[in-house]
Each structure stands twice: as C-alpha cells, then as structure tokens.
Amino acid sequence: MRLKLSFPHAFEQWLNKIVKRPSLAVTVLIVWLVVIGWVAYGWNLGRVGLIDETEPLFAEASRQMLITGDWITPYFNGETRFDKPALIYWLQAIAYAVIGVNEWAVRLPSALAAMGVMALVFSTVYWSLTKKDELKPVSSLTRPYLAAAVAAAVTALNPEMIIWGRTGVSDMLLTGCIASALLCFFRGYAEEGTGDRGQGTERRDKIPNNQSPFPNKWYLACYALIAGAILTKGPVGIVLPGLIIGAFLLYVGQLWAVVREMRLLLGLVIIFCLSVPWYLLVTWRNGWNYINSFFGYHNIERFTDVVNGHSAPWYFYFLIVLLLFAPYSVYLPLAMIRLKFWQRSHWRTQERSQQLGLFAFIWFITIFSFFTAAVTKLPSYVLPLMPAAAILVALLWSDFFSQPQPNTSKTAITYPISFLQVSSWINVVFLSVLSVALFHLSYLLGKDPAAPNFNQMLQNSGLPEIGGWIWLLFAVIVAVLILRRQWQAIIGVNLLGFAAFLMIMMMPALLLVDQERQLPLRDLSAAVVQFQKPQEEIIMVGFKKPSVVFYSRKPIKFIKLRKEGIEYIQNVANQTNHPASMLLLTEKRNFFKMDLQPDNYQNLAIKGAYQLTRINFKKMKSQKLDIS
C-alpha cells in the first residue's frame, strides 16, 4: 500500500547537508546522544537523597565493602546480604573510591548502564538500516541516522528506563548487561552472515571461512556481558539471553550453524571462568547459608511462589508496559504487526542484518512471557525488554524517514494505513487521559504517612496542572498531524512532549517528594550522629528506613511491630547490667502508643513524621510497660 508523505523541506535539506559531511554527522550524533543521556540520567542525579527501602540497602552494603576490604561477602547493618551477587556492590564501591560516598556514586553504575544501552541501540539500528540501504538503495541518506536517533531517544526517554536508570539498585545494571549482550550477539550473528543470502529460496547455512578457534569480537563481548549479568542477578543473567537467542535461531533455522560459528563451548567456558569464581568464594566462606538464601529464596522461590507479598494478576505486565513505556507503548502492536513475524519462510530468506526487527520481537515476547509466568511480579522485572520495544518502535517509524521514490510522492508501507490511524488516535486519547489524570492528581494520590503534607505541597506548586497542560497541548498537536497525515512527525512530538514533561514537571515533583519524604530521614540521621552517646544502642520501631543506616553510618536494630519494640525495651531494662540509655526512632503518630512514662524518656529531635527519643534505663528501674 502506498501513502502520501510530506516532509519539511528545509529540515530535510539541513539533514542532507550534515550527513554528506561525515565528521559533522558524527559530531551531531555524539552531541545528540550526550544531550539525551544527560537529560534522562545525568541531570540532578545526585540531588535527590536515597529512596527507601531498597536503594540504601545497596548503597550501605557497597560502603561496607569499601571500608572493610571484604569484596566477597556483602554486609548491611552488620548482617550478610545475599539478595544479589557482587557486581553492583563492586561498581558502587569503586565509584565511592573515585568520587566519594554520595548519591552520585550510588547511582552512577545504573546511569552508565542505561547510557551504554542507549548508545548500543543507536549503533545497532544505524548499522542494520545502513546494510538495508546497501541491499536496496533508497533516495534518502538520512533514514539510518533518523531511525537510530529515534531508537536511542525512545530507549532513554521512557518512565521505566528513567526510574531504574536513576536508582542505585541492580535492575538497570542487569538490563545493561542483558540488552548489550543481545545486541552484541545480533551484530556478531549479522556480520558472520554478510553476503550469505538465498535468492528467493531458503538460505543455506555456511560454516564461516574463518578458521580461528575464537568467535568474532561481538560474540566475545556477548559472552563477557552474560557473565556480567550472572554476577549482577544470578542464573537469570544467562537464562534470559539463552532463551531469546535460542528461540530466535530456531525460528530462522540457524541454530546449529550459529552454535558452530559462536564456538559455544568456548563461550560457556569464558562465561563460567568470569562469573563462577566469586560464587565459589562466597559459598566457601558462607556455606549453605548463601546457597539457601540466594539460589533458594531469591531465585527459585521468586519464580514459583509469592515473595514479600509481590503478587499480581496475569495482566500485570500489560499495564506496566502500557504505562511505563508511555507514550510510545500504543504503537507496539502495530510495530509487531508490521513485521509479519508469522511468515517464517520470509524471515528465513532474509539477510541476517535485516532480521533485527524479528530479533527484537522475540526478545520482547520472551521476557514478557517469562515474567508473566513467574509468580512473584515487580515492575522492574520487565525492564530488560524496554530496549527491544524501542527498537520495534524505531523500525516502525523508519518507513516514514525515506524520501518518496523518484517520480512519485508516495512511500510504501506493508500494512493498511488504517492501522496507523487507529494507533495514532489511541495516542491522542492516551495523552488526553493522562492530562485529565494530572489535573486531578491530588485526588488520585493516596495518603503517605511518611509525607503527610506532600499532597498539599504538590497542589500548591501547580506542577500537576502544568503537566496536564503539557500533555493536552501535545495531544492536540498529534491530532493535527493525523489530520494533515504528517505521520513522520508524530514520534518526534511524543519524544518532545515526554522531554518537556520530564524537565518541567517530573523533576521538580521528584525534588518535592525528596524534600517531604526523604529529607526528614537525612535530618534524623544527622540528629542520631549528634546525640548518640558511646556504646548507646539505636532501635527503630514500627517502620524500616535503611537510609538512616547509610546516612548516620550507625548500626540500627529494626523492630517491625510496636508490641515487639516495647517487649524489647522492657527486656533490656530488666537486665542486671542494663545500659544507661537507648536511642529510639519512631514515627510521631506511634510514639505515644508505646505508653512510656514521661520521666523515662527525653525527646531529642522531631524531623517530619519521625521522632528521636532517648530512653533512660536508670530512671525506668524495673517498671512493667503496657504492651496491650
């Protein structure tokens, strides 16, 4: 089917002038990647305090690793922490050594991993489309550049990638390793197959002429990155890439040929030589405690049972992808239909370099299905499929970055234009609904005991209204583009809208959240350092905020229930050689429910929703506390 296409002539001329000057083109592309990466992951990265509960656990374990010199066993608050393998702790500890112990260093590995994926997505899409244009020349020199730039921007500028790219936990590092490994595999696979193409018949597999005992550099990089993924989150680091690569090769009928050219046995040796030594050392030092905790609880049980209450219905990840890959998620069904992935015979006759779309589709579907089948569900689990989604969307729009063929004003697409019209109008509806939700955000947000005044602060700031007007404006612009049939500009409008939303609304709102929710905890940590006497124990009762351990640099005993906290205080008071005092951290609303006698405690500081109190055991004597 053919579609009338219009493209701003001046912009097209400007792009053509750039791409005809290679040095200028490279400079512009580098600037583009740096700007996008900085806006998404660098800007204000260290200005927001650590976010409880998970981020401070990683941050403090890495700090302990640096100061103790124990690079094998992670510790938090004096106890072993076997939730994740060592790579994220090593990288954060190295960042501490280079730039100091601060929020920047905690999040730097995640930010760099996200930027690395973004750059590799750009490189892969550009290379694939360049090869396509070599096989079937088109009149547009700018298509590979534009499509690759869109792929990089969509990879970077979506909520899921930004959330985890700005958080100092292992999820983005895992995504960086897995996504980069998969992209390196595809480059290695495609370059091995250059020139190996059947003409209208099924391709014949050829054993590469290269008699080297080693695979090509891309396959080697793939193996190293899989080892990094194993050192980041364990077996899932090899299971997911293995499933994706295996499913793809089976579908295109290249499994055994590629197994030979990859030197798979050598690759497995490389993977295990890089990843297994740490597992052996940590098991040797900690024995079955590590095996049961990491492999049993944090891997097998997370897949087969609900862990920490993280259950969700089967359609959970449909909602996650819709909302956290917004606003581009509405185009994913069309991007998949465009591929005609069900036409296996077609894909088996394609040049390897032109199978990127199919590879991204199988990548997306495999991860989505794998974690949908898992019983424990968290939004971050599908983070590794986001680069694949970005590639699919970019390839969809690459059709519109070609100039019309000579002597015609139309360009060919492989699906009914009505599909694109429906997807685009859904885009308008989605942005409009998002706009309405932002206008009513203060009513939609629940009450957070840790930030009781946040809703009012947010409403007074006017940020939700600003965000609502941003998305309403861009919804109108997309509608106008649909009516004028200027399809190629729609993706750019969505990217621009998201960038404006991020800079004008999301970032200031995040700073407000930090001011109301996390700043009191940092102030509380400073008060702990100020008031703690030598050998004085610190307990936190009724809530758990590990950030206080990180910022105070003090060990803290966490007691979940108020009743258990009262019992613990009474037991200490009844000891023959009890300490003179103890520091108690509680929420203000729960402190008086503990029924401590006024003579037995001294209020030291109140910070936001939290209270620091000294319990004086010398005055308490042996009174019995009410624990009803």
Side-chain angles (χ1 to χ4, degrees), residues 488-499:
Q488 75 281 2
I490 290 176
I491 189 64
V493 169
N494 278 278
L495 285 167
L496 184 60
F498 186 87

Side-chain angles (χ1 to χ4, degrees), residues 82-189:
F82 293 145
D83 296 45
K84 300 295 181 290
L87 185 57
I88 183 64
Y89 306 121
W90 292 343
L91 295 178
Q92 288 179 336
I94 292 170
Y96 289 158
V98 174
I99 63 176
V101 180
N102 53 51
E103 292 86 351
W104 255 98
V106 173
R107 293 164 180 154
L108 188 60
S110 296
L112 291 178
M115 292 180 188
V117 170
M118 176 194 69
L120 200 50
V121 165
F122 175 93
S123 173
T124 305
V125 171
Y126 173 79
W127 181 85
S128 176
L129 289 177
T130 300
K131 292 295 181 182
K132 182 176 183 178
D133 290 349
E134 290 175 359
L135 295 170
K136 188 177 181 181
V138 296
S139 58
S140 176
L141 298 174
T142 60
R143 181 175 70 164
Y145 295 94
L146 286 172
V150 166
V154 172
T155 300
L157 296 175
N158 65 76
E160 179 91 338
M161 288 287 287
I162 286 175
I163 289 169
W164 300 109
R166 287 177 165 270
T167 306
V169 297
S170 60
D171 297 274
M172 183 52 76
L173 184 60
L174 176 70
T175 294
C177 290
I178 288 180
S180 298
L182 291 171
L183 292 169
C184 286
F185 160 79
F186 182 80
R187 285 292 298 271
Y189 163 81

Side-chain angles (χ1 to χ4, degrees), residues 52-67:
D52 286 294
E53 293 180 3
T54 308
E55 191 177 31
L57 298 175
F58 283 90
E60 177 62 13
S62 302
R63 190 184 72 85
Q64 287 294 319
M65 188 169 282
L66 179 66
I67 64 175

Side-chain angles (χ1 to χ4, degrees), residues 276-323:
V276 167
W278 175 81
Y279 284 95
L280 294 177
L281 288 171
V282 74
T283 302
W284 170 70
R285 180 172 291 183
N286 298 278
W288 283 101
N289 288 335
Y290 176 76
I291 294 174
N292 291 333
S293 177
F294 179 71
F295 291 102
Y297 181 74
H298 289 290
N299 281 271
I300 297 174
E301 284 193 36
R302 282 182 181 269
F303 193 84
T304 60
D305 201 359
V306 177
V307 171
N308 296 333
H310 296 306
S311 63
W314 63 269
Y315 53 83
F316 177 69
Y317 289 122
F318 286 93
L319 298 177
I320 291 299
V321 172
L322 174 65
L323 297 176

Side-chain angles (χ1 to χ4, degrees), residues 17-50:
K17 288 179 181 178
I18 290 177
V19 300
K20 289 176 180 177
R21 300 173 59 185
S23 59
L24 179 60
V26 170
T27 302
V28 170
L29 293 174
I30 291 174
V31 170
W32 171 258
L33 293 175
V34 169
V35 170
I36 294 296
W38 178 258
V39 169
Y41 306 113
W43 181 42
N44 285 330
L45 181 65
R47 192 174 170 187
V48 176
L50 300 185

Side-chain angles (χ1 to χ4, degrees), residues 164-467:
W164 300 109
R166 287 177 165 270
T167 306
V169 297
S170 60
D171 297 274
M172 183 52 76
L173 184 60
L174 176 70
T175 294
C177 290
I178 288 180
S180 298
L182 291 171
L183 292 169
C184 286
F185 160 79
F186 182 80
R187 285 292 298 271
Y189 163 81
E191 290 191 2
E192 286 284 354
T194 300
D196 178 20
R197 184 184 182 190
Q199 297 297 326
T201 60
E202 187 171 312
R203 293 175 49 190
R204 296 181 179 180
D205 301 326
K206 296 196 301 184
I207 299 176
N209 293 326
N210 181 12
Q211 297 301 317
S212 169
F214 299 102
N216 67 42
K217 62 183 179 182
W218 293 106
Y219 285 147
L220 287 173
C222 173
Y223 294 139
L225 288 161
I226 288 175
I230 295 172
L231 282 170
T232 300
K233 272 210 173 181
V236 73
I238 191 172
V239 170
L240 286 179
L243 287 174
I244 294 164
I245 293 171
F248 170 72
L249 293 177
L250 282 171
Y251 192 82
V252 296
Q254 294 282 298
L255 180 62
W256 296 116
V258 175
V259 165
R260 291 193 297 270
E261 74 187 32
M262 288 182 72
R263 315 292 196 270
L264 183 59
L265 290 179
L266 176 61
L268 291 175
V269 170
I270 293 171
I271 290 171
F272 290 121
C273 284
L274 292 175
S275 60
V276 167
W278 175 81
Y279 284 95
L280 294 177
L281 288 171
V282 74
T283 302
W284 170 70
R285 180 172 291 183
N286 298 278
W288 283 101
N289 288 335
Y290 176 76
I291 294 174
N292 291 333
S293 177
F294 179 71
F295 291 102
Y297 181 74
H298 289 290
N299 281 271
I300 297 174
E301 284 193 36
R302 282 182 181 269
F303 193 84
T304 60
D305 201 359
V306 177
V307 171
N308 296 333
H310 296 306
S311 63
W314 63 269
Y315 53 83
F316 177 69
Y317 289 122
F318 286 93
L319 298 177
I320 291 299
V321 172
L322 174 65
L323 297 176
L324 296 187
F325 190 62
Y328 330 105
S329 51
V330 296
Y331 294 103
L332 279 173
L334 178 58
M336 295 176 184
I337 291 171
R338 167 190 173 275
L339 296 172
K340 298 182 179 179
F341 57 86
W342 56 87
Q343 296 182 354
R344 189 183 182 201
S345 59
H346 165 76
W347 285 106
R348 293 182 68 171
T349 60
Q350 289 294 299
E351 190 73 43
R352 285 187 179 187
S353 62
Q354 301 315 298
Q355 295 173 346
L356 178 60
L358 178 67
F359 182 66
F361 169 77
I362 293 175
W363 172 355
F364 182 99
I365 292 298
T366 301
I367 293 179
F368 190 92
S369 302
F370 182 88
F371 287 112
T372 296
V375 179
T376 298
K377 291 180 170 63
L378 285 169
S380 61
Y381 285 180
V382 292
L383 180 62
L385 63 73
M386 293 297 163
I391 291 171
L392 290 171
V393 170
L395 292 178
L396 170 67
W397 248 268
S398 70
D399 294 339
F400 301 98
F401 296 146
S402 302
Q403 284 184 339
Q405 299 173 1
N407 303 319
T408 180
S409 61
K410 299 179 180 181
T411 187
I413 60 173
T414 59
Y415 49 86
I417 189 58
S418 58
F419 288 9
L420 180 60
Q421 290 173 327
V422 170
S423 297
S424 299
W425 282 116
I426 292 174
N427 188 181
V428 173
V429 172
F430 183 86
L431 297 184
S432 301
V433 170
L434 182 58
S435 174
V436 172
L438 286 167
F439 283 129
H440 297 87
L441 186 61
S442 59
Y443 303 102
L444 297 175
L445 290 176
K447 294 249 180 179
D448 184 356
N453 301 319
F454 175 70
N455 277 6
Q456 188 62 47
M457 289 179 60
L458 188 63
Q459 188 173 0
N460 293 341
S461 71
L463 289 173
E465 289 78 10
I466 294 173

Side-chain angles (χ1 to χ4, degrees), residues 380-615:
S380 61
Y381 285 180
V382 292
L383 180 62
L385 63 73
M386 293 297 163
I391 291 171
L392 290 171
V393 170
L395 292 178
L396 170 67
W397 248 268
S398 70
D399 294 339
F400 301 98
F401 296 146
S402 302
Q403 284 184 339
Q405 299 173 1
N407 303 319
T408 180
S409 61
K410 299 179 180 181
T411 187
I413 60 173
T414 59
Y415 49 86
I417 189 58
S418 58
F419 288 9
L420 180 60
Q421 290 173 327
V422 170
S423 297
S424 299
W425 282 116
I426 292 174
N427 188 181
V428 173
V429 172
F430 183 86
L431 297 184
S432 301
V433 170
L434 182 58
S435 174
V436 172
L438 286 167
F439 283 129
H440 297 87
L441 186 61
S442 59
Y443 303 102
L444 297 175
L445 290 176
K447 294 249 180 179
D448 184 356
N453 301 319
F454 175 70
N455 277 6
Q456 188 62 47
M457 289 179 60
L458 188 63
Q459 188 173 0
N460 293 341
S461 71
L463 289 173
E465 289 78 10
I466 294 173
W469 284 115
I470 288 173
W471 283 124
L472 185 59
L473 171 64
F474 282 94
V476 171
I477 295 174
V478 172
V480 171
L481 292 173
I482 296 171
L483 295 174
R484 299 183 62 179
R485 303 175 72 83
Q486 293 181 331
W487 310 108
Q488 75 281 2
I490 290 176
I491 189 64
V493 169
N494 278 278
L495 285 167
L496 184 60
F498 186 87
F501 181 70
L502 171 65
M503 293 186 289
I504 298 173
M505 191 273 177
M506 281 183 63
M507 188 56 65
L510 183 60
L511 295 175
L512 277 181
V513 172
D514 178 67
Q515 177 183 338
E516 181 67 15
R517 196 174 190 274
Q518 295 301 132
L519 179 59
L521 289 168
R522 298 198 293 275
D523 292 339
L524 191 69
S525 303
V528 166
V529 174
Q530 176 185 353
F531 290 109
Q532 186 191 27
K533 297 178 180 179
Q535 308 303 317
E536 190 172 38
E537 185 181 16
I538 308 167
I539 65 172
M540 183 179 288
V541 177
F543 70 110
K544 184 177 181 180
K545 300 295 182 183
S547 63
V548 179
V549 177
F550 176 80
Y551 286 111
S552 69
R553 312 289 197 262
K554 306 289 185 182
I556 295 175
K557 183 175 182 62
F558 296 105
I559 302 176
K560 184 176 182 180
L561 301 177
R562 186 176 72 253
K563 179 179 178 180
E564 294 175 353
I566 296 172
E567 290 176 344
Y568 182 81
I569 294 171
Q570 184 62 57
N571 290 336
V572 173
N574 291 336
Q575 292 175 4
T576 303
N577 297 318
H578 59 67
S581 61
M582 171 189 292
L583 290 182
L584 169 66
L585 299 169
T586 57
E587 294 174 301
K588 287 190 301 184
R589 61 191 177 95
N590 289 328
F591 175 76
F592 291 103
K593 296 178 182 178
M594 298 185 70
D595 292 326
L596 295 171
Q597 298 300 313
D599 291 341
N600 296 337
Y601 68 84
Q602 175 189 3
N603 285 328
L604 300 177
I606 294 177
K607 305 293 182 181
Y610 309 103
Q611 181 167 331
L612 174 64
T613 305
R614 172 170 286 123
I615 299 175

